[in-house]
């Protein structure tokens, strides 16, 4: 049995929150550069250049790359032979988020409930998903998920008779409606299958994969490429100003579902696709 102390989790989560907001991942930064070389619109090229400059400034000056520093969302892989000593895992994550957002001068965006709209002041509570796995390690995957793109996300219970064309049409319709509001160029996360709540989790989970990382299933990987091409033919472009780069990538996760169902969820991520991973 491996023991991990509560405070070690607090400190690591705190640093993850700061790094996520200051340091754009190499995968996204490289995707910006690739998109800039391929973008056909002069306005689109200018926007992409500004996004690259913005990422450089954030990293150099240790300031957030966007004023919306996001909801702290975690997917935790908890080894069944791992024991958290000195407190609960959820409490440690929330204390770490509070510490990181406070020390990092990051905006607190969480409210106590959607009815009273009162800000919690420290960007907690975090959204935490726990997956029990073999072994004794604790792996924390974190993303700082912006509100604008989240607001343009959607889920629908399609009919099995809608088939693959219905799935693709629905996904494209969500991206079209989002237009500039989700701050493209996007990373488009898609869940297909499961049930009502599981499908949306699959869409979120897909966004934790690096830009350019394909699904292990060749058929699903092919669907990701097809959808990426279709989305980039919509002409929405960087920041909705027109161009050939509406999305940097498309991620699809697929699971089993009921014979009467065809759940599809689309979780959009803005160009600030912020994610961190650490193992304790």
């Amino acid at each position: 049995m491996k023991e991990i102390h509560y405070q070690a989790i607090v400190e690591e989560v705190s640093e993850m929150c700061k790094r996520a907001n200051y340091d754009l991942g190499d995968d996204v930064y490289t995707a910006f550069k690739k998109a800039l070389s391929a973008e056909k619109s002069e306005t689109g090229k200018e926007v992409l250049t500004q996004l690259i400059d913005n990422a450089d400034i954030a990293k150099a000056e240790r300031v957030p790359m966007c004023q919306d520093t996001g909801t702290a969302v975690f997917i935790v892989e908890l080894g069944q032979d791992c024991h958290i000593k000195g407190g609960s895992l959820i409490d440690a994550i929330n204390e770490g988020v509070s510490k990181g957002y406070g020390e990092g001068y990051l905006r607190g965006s969480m409210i106590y409930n959607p009815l009273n709209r009162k800000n919690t002041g420290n960007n907690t509570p975090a959204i935490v998903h726990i997956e029990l796995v073999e072994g004794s390690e604790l792996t924390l995957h974190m993303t700082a998920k912006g509100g604008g793109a989240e607001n343009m996300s959607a889920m629908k219970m399609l009919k099995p008779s809608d088939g693959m064309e219905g799935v693709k049409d629905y996904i494209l319709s969500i991206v079209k409606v989002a237009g500039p509001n989700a701050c493209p160029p996007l990373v488009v996360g898609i869940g297909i299958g499961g049930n009502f709540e599981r499908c949306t989790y699959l869409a979120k989970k897909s966004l934790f994969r690096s830009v350019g990382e394909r699904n292990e299933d060749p058929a699903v990987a092919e669907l990701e490429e097809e959808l990426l091409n279709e989305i980039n033919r919509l002409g929405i472009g960087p920041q909705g100003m027109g161009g050939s780069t509406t999305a940097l990538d498309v991620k699809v996760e697929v699971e089993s579902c009921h014979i009467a169902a065809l759940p599809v969820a689309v979780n959009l991520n803005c160009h600030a696709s912020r994610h961190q991973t650490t193992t304790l």
Side-chain angles (χ1 to χ4, degrees), residues 173-224:
S173 74
I174 297 305
V175 177
K176 286 179 185 177
V177 169
N181 296 326
C183 293
L186 310 168
V187 179
V188 181
I190 299 163
I192 304 175
N195 62 357
F196 182 79
E197 77 275 8
R198 179 69 178 176
C199 189
T200 54
Y201 173 67
L202 292 175
K204 179 74 73 188
K205 186 177 181 179
S206 75
L207 294 173
F208 282 75
R209 279 194 271 139
S210 297
V211 172
E213 182 184 349
R214 289 281 152 258
N215 191 291
E216 294 180 356
D217 185 323
V220 179
E222 184 178 344
L223 176 61
E224 291 174 338

Side-chain angles (χ1 to χ4, degrees), residues 75-110:
I75 294 178
V76 179
E77 295 175 26
L78 177 62
Q80 60 188 6
D81 296 320
C82 175
H83 172 66
I84 311 303
K85 182 179 180 181
S88 79
L89 175 59
I90 300 297
D91 286 347
I93 290 173
N94 279 318
E95 186 174 331
V97 170
S98 177
K99 178 178 169 64
Y101 273 73
E103 292 178 348
Y105 299 99
L106 307 174
R107 191 183 82 183
S109 301
M110 298 300 287

Side-chain angles (χ1 to χ4, degrees), residues 47-202:
V47 172
L48 288 166
T49 299
Q50 291 179 13
L51 293 178
I52 292 168
D53 290 344
N54 181 71
D56 289 339
I57 292 168
K59 185 173 185 177
E61 298 189 10
R62 313 313 289 163
V63 294
M65 66 189 74
C66 178
Q67 53 84 25
D68 181 356
T69 54
T71 300
V73 182
F74 290 81
I75 294 178
V76 179
E77 295 175 26
L78 177 62
Q80 60 188 6
D81 296 320
C82 175
H83 172 66
I84 311 303
K85 182 179 180 181
S88 79
L89 175 59
I90 300 297
D91 286 347
I93 290 173
N94 279 318
E95 186 174 331
V97 170
S98 177
K99 178 178 169 64
Y101 273 73
E103 292 178 348
Y105 299 99
L106 307 174
R107 191 183 82 183
S109 301
M110 298 300 287
I111 57 177
Y112 284 102
N113 71 57
L115 301 179
N116 66 30
R117 314 304 298 183
K118 183 180 178 182
N119 199 297
T120 65
N122 59 8
N123 213 53
T124 66
I127 307 296
V128 184
H129 305 279
I130 299 177
E131 297 187 356
L132 189 63
V133 298
E134 293 183 355
S136 59
E137 292 184 333
L138 173 66
T139 298
L140 304 168
H141 305 279
M142 181 262 181
T143 184
K145 186 67 168 66
E150 193 79 355
N151 285 346
M152 302 310 298
S153 302
M155 186 269 179
K156 187 173 183 179
M157 301 297 290
L158 298 179
K159 301 185 297 295
S161 59
D162 291 325
M164 183 59 75
E165 288 308 308
V167 170
K168 289 188 278 191
D169 287 347
Y170 175 66
I171 294 165
L172 290 172
S173 74
I174 297 305
V175 177
K176 286 179 185 177
V177 169
N181 296 326
C183 293
L186 310 168
V187 179
V188 181
I190 299 163
I192 304 175
N195 62 357
F196 182 79
E197 77 275 8
R198 179 69 178 176
C199 189
T200 54
Y201 173 67
L202 292 175

